[in-house]
Amino acid sequence: MKVKLGAGLVTAAFLCMSAGAAFAHSFLVDASPSAKDHVAASPKLVKLRFGGGVEAAYSTIAILGADGKTIVEGAKGAPDKPRELTLDAPDLAAGKYTVKYRVLSSDGHIVEGKYEFTVDAH
């Protein structure tokens, strides 16, 4: 009887640890410009940093205008910064923009999200 209970506890502990590992995807932890940010001038680039490694070759960042149309799309990564992606931004006029991203985590999971920032008028 004690052996079965012990084996059950070990199995339960293993399942809890496995579930924790399954949720360790590369979620966005920092962005520049950040969500709801108001910037005085058009940013030169969008920089996203994730909690885990991302595969730049299979990831994209897009800047969308207020009309929802894509202005620019792409993503660059650097081997020495596996948790970071950047996108060169064109000159953006005053207005509200959406940054949309879709990244492949190093653990094989796809993470998607979006947020808005505003370029203020001078």
Side-chain angles (χ1 to χ4, degrees):
M1 184 84 162
K2 288 183 181 180
V3 173
K4 287 184 181 179
L5 180 61
L9 289 175
V10 170
T11 302
F14 177 76
L15 290 174
C16 287
M17 289 187 300
S18 296
F23 293 114
H25 309 316
S26 297
F27 293 108
L28 185 66
V29 295
D30 191 33
S32 177
S34 62
K36 301 187 191 279
D37 212 359
H38 283 259
V39 295
S42 177
K44 299 291 182 207
L45 61 85
V46 171
K47 181 166 62 170
L48 305 181
R49 193 166 52 84
F50 297 87
V54 294
E55 301 292 334
Y58 302 102
S59 302
T60 59
I61 303 171
I63 299 174
L64 287 65
D67 60 0
K69 292 184 181 177
T70 301
I71 296 170
V72 64
E73 186 173 11
K76 288 191 270 182
D80 60 329
K81 296 180 181 178
R83 296 178 179 204
E84 195 172 286
L85 293 174
T86 60
L87 172 67
D88 291 330
D91 193 27
L92 301 172
K96 189 175 280 191
Y97 296 91
T98 300
V99 172
K100 187 176 174 183
Y101 58 90
R102 184 175 196 271
V103 300
L104 177 62
S105 299
S106 295
D107 68 0
H109 291 90
I110 293 174
V111 177
E112 298 179 284
K114 62 182 177 180
Y115 67 89
E116 294 181 343
F117 72 94
T118 302
V119 176
D120 290 331
H122 295 285

